[in-house]
């Protein structure tokens, strides 16, 4: 029995690869990505004394090590500082004037906000401070928008990934080749029901998160809906792509888990992207959940508009197009040979 199992494992290269790759992936992720400490904070300084405060911070070695002076604008106002946090340009903004400087902290970036509070505490009573968008630094306010995307990723990828596999296992995949539908139409037909169900799940989870955890929704509903629709299209297409490269349900689930694990760990939902090692951080920038998290947190917590969120929306759109195109290409290869065989046998 032991010899037989080793032989079967040797033939099942996907399972064998998963047994080897998964421990290495976990080691790399937790070694380089598992870091909650933000070492550098982006700072915007505005007001008449902006340059004076900038020089003081630059002269302090401890402050200069943590605070990166991104913008120094003597003509800026309180509204300018708040807009810098809303648009995710800075982690904290300092407003200078005749009295004590006012420091605004972006509470939607939880770990950066905690590091910012420590940095502000070192300044002592010389400044006043206020946390915006998450005054009490509640973890649930930051996690719920990200969990919405995580739930959609799980349901969309895993459920859809077994769609075409079921057709193949049931022996009905060949029928798709002789039906008057293009591969793109087949995929759209496959994902349409899941898209509607996942959209209903998204609405339910969002409303429950707002009701149970009192998470605010400060932004435009249409921007949130647009980002969610594009994200759903991407993850459902990813599930279909996985089903086209899998022969059994078990293989589809294995491949889906290999795709889901990096999205959970490297999307910035658990570990902040800014705290990751550069090599691992770039993996996070290739994941759809990274950009949906930016959209959902930006809309719900900060009330960010399209002028701020157009970049993640465009990136998600490009990802959805590439993934859908890859799924169509793979489906053509999956059913075209079977289709020719059916036509020949019918002749």
């Amino acid at each position: 029995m032991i010899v037989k199992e080793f032989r079967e494992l040797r033939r099942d290269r996907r399972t064998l690869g998963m047994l080897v790759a998964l421990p290495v992936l976990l080691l790399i992720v937790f070694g380089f990505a598992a870091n909650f400490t933000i070492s550098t904070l982006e700072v915007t300084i505005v007001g008449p004394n902006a340059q004076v405060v900038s020089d003081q911070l630059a002269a302090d070695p401890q402050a200069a090590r943590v605070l990166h002076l991104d913008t120094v604008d003597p003509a800026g106002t309180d509204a300018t500082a708040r807009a810098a946090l809303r648009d995710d340009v800075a982690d904290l903004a300092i407003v200078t004037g005749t009295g004590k400087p006012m420091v605004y902290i972006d509470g939607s970036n939880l770990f950066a906000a905690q590091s910012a509070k420590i940095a502000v505490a070192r300044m002592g009573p010389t400044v006043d401070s206020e946390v915006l968008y998450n005054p009490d630094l509640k973890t649930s306010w930051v996690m719920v928008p990200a969990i919405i995307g995580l739930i959609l990723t799980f349901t969309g990828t895993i459920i859809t990934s077994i769609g075409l596999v079921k057709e193949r296992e049931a022996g009905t995949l060949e029928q798709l080749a002789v039906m008057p539908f293009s591969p793109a139409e087949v995929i759209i037909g496959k994902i349409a029901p899941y898209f509607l169900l996942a959209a209903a799940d998204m609405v339910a989870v969002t409303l429950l998160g707002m009701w149970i955890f009192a998470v605010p929704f400060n932004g435009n509903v249409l921007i949130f809906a647009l980002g969610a629709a594009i994200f759903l299209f991407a993850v459902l297409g990813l599930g279909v792509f996985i089903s086209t490269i899998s022969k059994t349900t078990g293989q589809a689930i294995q491949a889906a888990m290999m795709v889901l694990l990096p999205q959970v760990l490297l999307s910035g939902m658990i570990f902040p992207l800014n705290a990751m090692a550069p090599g691992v951080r770039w993996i996070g920038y290739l994941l759809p959940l990274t950009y949906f998290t930016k959209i959902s947190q930006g809309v719900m917590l900060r009330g960010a508009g399209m002028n701020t969120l157009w970049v993640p929306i465009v990136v998600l759109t490009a990802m959805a197009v590439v993934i859908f195109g890859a799924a169509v290409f793979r489906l053509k290869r999956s059913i075209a040979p079977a289709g020719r065989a059916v036509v020949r046998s019918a002749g």
Side-chain angles (χ1 to χ4, degrees), residues 225-344:
L226 175 63
I230 298 172
F231 175 71
L232 267 178
F233 191 71
V235 297
L236 290 173
L238 188 60
V240 173
F241 177 77
I242 291 172
S243 70
T244 62
I245 62 175
S246 303
K247 296 182 179 180
T248 65
T249 301
Q251 289 182 351
I253 294 175
Q254 285 179 350
M257 292 305 297
M258 288 295 292
V259 170
L260 288 170
L261 185 61
Q263 298 215 60
V264 174
L265 299 176
L266 301 178
S267 64
M269 186 189 75
I270 298 177
F271 309 114
L273 283 173
N274 293 341
M276 296 180 187
V280 176
R281 186 188 311 159
W282 282 106
I283 299 175
Y285 291 137
L286 300 176
L287 305 175
L289 185 57
T290 300
Y291 299 95
F292 179 74
T293 300
K294 291 179 180 292
I295 295 170
S296 60
Q297 290 180 344
V299 172
M300 295 182 69
L301 301 182
R302 301 194 307 273
M306 185 62 76
N307 62 319
T308 301
L309 301 175
W310 70 269
V311 172
I313 288 177
V314 168
V315 173
L316 265 183
T317 302
M319 286 182 173
V321 171
V322 171
I323 292 170
F324 186 80
V328 171
F329 176 75
R330 284 292 310 179
L331 184 60
K332 284 182 179 179
R333 295 187 61 182
S334 297
I335 66 177
R340 288 194 295 267
V342 171
V343 171
R344 283 197 301 267

Side-chain angles (χ1 to χ4, degrees), residues 73-323:
D73 183 11
T77 63
D78 186 271
T80 307
R82 291 174 178 267
L85 298 188
R86 181 199 63 207
D87 296 341
D88 201 25
V89 174
D91 298 309
L92 68 155
I94 303 175
V95 182
T96 65
T98 56
K100 291 194 298 184
M102 169 62 76
V103 180
Y104 293 121
I105 299 172
D106 179 13
S108 67
N109 190 341
L110 185 62
F111 300 107
Q114 292 171 344
S115 298
K117 290 195 71 173
I118 295 173
V120 171
R122 290 172 181 159
M123 299 178 187
T126 59
V127 299
D128 293 326
S129 64
E130 180 182 353
V131 179
L132 304 180
Y133 312 125
N134 186 5
D136 299 324
L137 295 182
K138 294 181 179 179
T139 304
S140 59
W141 281 29
V142 178
M143 290 298 295
V144 167
I147 289 174
I148 294 171
L150 179 62
I151 292 173
L152 295 181
T153 303
F154 266 99
T155 56
T157 304
I158 292 181
I159 294 176
T160 313
S161 66
I162 62 177
L164 285 176
V165 176
K166 286 184 176 179
E167 298 274 3
R168 183 178 286 111
E169 291 180 331
T172 58
L173 184 63
E174 292 80 4
Q175 297 176 9
L176 297 177
V178 297
M179 294 178 69
F181 299 118
S182 67
E185 291 172 335
V186 171
I187 291 178
I188 291 175
K190 284 288 183 183
I191 69 175
Y194 301 117
F195 184 92
L196 296 175
L197 290 174
D201 285 342
M202 181 204 67
V203 173
V205 171
T206 303
L207 294 177
L208 283 173
M210 295 170 61
W211 176 51
I212 296 174
F213 300 103
V215 179
F217 198 108
N218 295 319
N220 191 310
V221 176
L222 294 180
I223 296 176
F224 181 82
L226 175 63
I230 298 172
F231 175 71
L232 267 178
F233 191 71
V235 297
L236 290 173
L238 188 60
V240 173
F241 177 77
I242 291 172
S243 70
T244 62
I245 62 175
S246 303
K247 296 182 179 180
T248 65
T249 301
Q251 289 182 351
I253 294 175
Q254 285 179 350
M257 292 305 297
M258 288 295 292
V259 170
L260 288 170
L261 185 61
Q263 298 215 60
V264 174
L265 299 176
L266 301 178
S267 64
M269 186 189 75
I270 298 177
F271 309 114
L273 283 173
N274 293 341
M276 296 180 187
V280 176
R281 186 188 311 159
W282 282 106
I283 299 175
Y285 291 137
L286 300 176
L287 305 175
L289 185 57
T290 300
Y291 299 95
F292 179 74
T293 300
K294 291 179 180 292
I295 295 170
S296 60
Q297 290 180 344
V299 172
M300 295 182 69
L301 301 182
R302 301 194 307 273
M306 185 62 76
N307 62 319
T308 301
L309 301 175
W310 70 269
V311 172
I313 288 177
V314 168
V315 173
L316 265 183
T317 302
M319 286 182 173
V321 171
V322 171
I323 292 170

